[in-house]
Protein backbone atom coordinates (compact mmCIF):
# COMPACT_ATOMS: atom_id res chain seq x y z
CA UNK A 1 0.00 0.00 0.00
CA UNK A 2 1.33 3.40 -0.98
CA UNK A 3 0.24 6.59 0.73
CA UNK A 4 0.27 9.84 -1.21
CA UNK A 5 0.49 13.05 0.79
CA UNK A 6 -0.21 16.29 -1.02
CA UNK A 7 0.70 19.77 0.09
CA UNK A 8 0.38 23.23 -1.32
CA UNK A 9 -2.73 24.73 -2.80
CA UNK A 10 -4.74 27.59 -1.44
CA UNK A 11 -6.19 30.86 -2.66
CA UNK A 12 -4.46 32.89 -5.37
CA UNK A 13 -5.45 35.80 -7.57
CA UNK A 14 -5.84 35.38 -11.33
CA UNK A 15 -2.44 35.53 -13.00
CA UNK A 16 -0.72 34.29 -9.89
CA UNK A 17 1.34 31.19 -9.21
CA UNK A 18 1.06 28.25 -6.89
CA UNK A 19 2.94 25.02 -6.29
CA UNK A 20 1.78 21.58 -5.27
CA UNK A 21 3.78 18.62 -4.07
CA UNK A 22 2.96 14.95 -3.65
CA UNK A 23 5.13 12.69 -1.56
CA UNK A 24 4.79 8.92 -1.80
CA UNK A 25 5.38 6.68 1.20
CA UNK A 26 7.23 4.10 -0.89
CA UNK A 27 9.67 3.98 -3.76
CA UNK A 28 8.31 5.06 -7.10
CA UNK A 29 9.57 2.92 -9.95
CA UNK A 30 10.48 4.30 -13.35
CA UNK A 31 7.81 2.08 -14.91
CA UNK A 32 5.06 3.80 -12.92
CA UNK A 33 2.74 6.57 -13.99
CA UNK A 34 2.44 9.46 -11.59
CA UNK A 35 0.84 12.83 -11.87
CA UNK A 36 -1.98 15.19 -11.12
CA UNK A 37 -5.69 15.27 -11.78
CA UNK A 38 -8.27 17.86 -10.83
CA UNK A 39 -11.98 18.00 -10.25
CA UNK A 40 -14.05 21.15 -10.33
CA UNK A 41 -17.53 21.32 -8.79
CA UNK A 42 -20.04 19.57 -10.99
CA UNK A 43 -17.39 18.29 -13.38
CA UNK A 44 -15.58 15.03 -13.92
CA UNK A 45 -12.07 14.46 -12.71
CA UNK A 46 -9.59 15.27 -15.46
CA UNK A 47 -5.92 14.74 -16.09
CA UNK A 48 -3.72 17.79 -15.56
CA UNK A 49 -0.20 16.46 -16.02
CA UNK A 50 1.62 13.18 -15.59
CA UNK A 51 4.84 11.26 -16.04
CA UNK A 52 4.17 8.04 -17.89
CA UNK A 53 5.95 4.74 -17.44
CA UNK A 54 7.54 5.24 -20.82
CA UNK A 55 9.25 8.38 -19.64
CA UNK A 56 6.92 10.81 -21.39
CA UNK A 57 5.11 13.79 -19.92
CA UNK A 58 1.49 14.51 -20.74
CA UNK A 59 -0.28 17.81 -20.15
CA UNK A 60 -3.90 18.76 -20.57
CA UNK A 61 -4.25 21.22 -23.44
CA UNK A 62 -5.76 23.74 -21.04
CA UNK A 63 -2.58 23.94 -18.93
CA UNK A 64 0.15 23.62 -21.55
CA UNK A 65 2.64 26.45 -21.29
CA UNK A 66 1.39 27.41 -17.83
CA UNK A 67 1.89 24.32 -15.65
CA UNK A 68 5.07 22.31 -15.19
CA UNK A 69 5.32 18.86 -13.64
CA UNK A 70 8.60 17.73 -12.15
CA UNK A 71 9.86 14.97 -9.90
CA UNK A 72 12.52 14.20 -7.33
CA UNK A 73 13.14 10.47 -7.47
CA UNK A 74 15.27 10.49 -4.34
CA UNK A 75 12.36 11.91 -2.38
CA UNK A 76 9.64 9.96 -4.22
CA UNK A 77 7.94 13.28 -4.79
CA UNK A 78 6.18 14.87 -7.73
CA UNK A 79 5.60 18.57 -8.04
CA UNK A 80 3.24 20.76 -10.03
CA UNK A 81 4.18 24.36 -10.65
CA UNK A 82 1.21 26.41 -11.76
CA UNK A 83 1.66 29.82 -13.35
CA UNK A 84 -0.69 32.33 -14.96
CA UNK A 85 -3.55 30.80 -13.03
CA UNK A 86 -7.09 31.39 -14.23
CA UNK A 87 -10.42 31.15 -12.40
CA UNK A 88 -11.19 28.03 -14.43
CA UNK A 89 -8.21 26.32 -12.78
CA UNK A 90 -10.18 26.31 -9.53
CA UNK A 91 -10.60 22.70 -8.45
CA UNK A 92 -9.52 20.04 -6.01
CA UNK A 93 -6.20 18.70 -7.23
CA UNK A 94 -5.40 15.04 -6.68
CA UNK A 95 -2.14 13.20 -6.92
CA UNK A 96 -2.30 9.81 -8.62
CA UNK A 97 0.11 6.90 -8.83
CA UNK A 98 -0.32 3.78 -10.92
CA UNK A 99 2.23 1.20 -9.89
CA UNK A 100 2.22 -2.56 -10.27
CA UNK A 101 -1.33 -2.45 -11.69
CA UNK A 102 -2.72 -0.60 -8.69
CA UNK A 103 -3.97 2.97 -8.61
CA UNK A 104 -3.46 5.21 -5.61
CA UNK A 105 -4.91 8.64 -4.89
CA UNK A 106 -4.02 11.42 -2.53
CA UNK A 107 -6.59 13.13 -0.36
CA UNK A 108 -6.81 16.16 -2.63
CA UNK A 109 -5.89 19.78 -2.11
CA UNK A 110 -8.04 22.78 -2.96
CA UNK A 111 -6.82 25.38 -5.41
CA UNK A 112 -8.98 28.49 -5.70
CA UNK A 113 -8.23 31.21 -8.23
CA UNK A 114 -10.24 34.30 -7.44
CA UNK A 115 -9.86 38.04 -7.02
Amino acid sequence: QVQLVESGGGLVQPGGSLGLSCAASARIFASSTMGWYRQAPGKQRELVAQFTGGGNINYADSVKGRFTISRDNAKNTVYLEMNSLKPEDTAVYYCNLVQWFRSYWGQGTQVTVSS
Side-chain angles (χ1 to χ4, degrees):
Q1 189 76 8
V2 180
Q3 308 295 325
L4 301 176
V5 179
E6 299 143 343
S7 59
L11 174 64
V12 64
Q13 292 186 342
S17 299
L18 212 54
L20 305 179
S21 64
C22 173
S25 61
R27 177 186 172 187
I28 305 303
F29 292 90
S31 58
S32 302
T33 296
M34 190 169 182
W36 295 92
Y37 286 72
R38 67 185 181 187
Q39 188 167 19
K43 295 188 176 181
Q44 290 189 329
R45 193 170 296 189
E46 63 176 359
L47 174 69
V48 177
Q50 69 178 183
F51 288 98
T52 69
N56 296 317
I57 297 176
N58 295 324
Y59 288 101
D61 288 341
S62 59
V63 307
K64 284 181 180 177
R66 300 188 297 122
F67 290 13
T68 302
I69 189 171
S70 61
R71 67 196 299 173
D72 184 334
N73 293 328
K75 296 182 178 180
N76 297 314
T77 300
V78 169
Y79 305 93
L80 185 67
E81 179 183 350
M82 304 180 291
N83 298 313
S84 302
L85 283 161
K86 304 175 181 179
E88 50 263 44
D89 294 318
T90 296
V92 178
Y93 284 69
Y94 296 91
C95 182
N96 174 257
L97 168 68
V98 179
Q99 182 158 278
W100 305 126
F101 308 109
R102 295 191 65 179
S103 181
Y104 303 92
W105 292 92
Q107 79 281 2
T109 185
Q110 177 70 45
V111 172
T112 302
V113 185
S114 175
S115 56

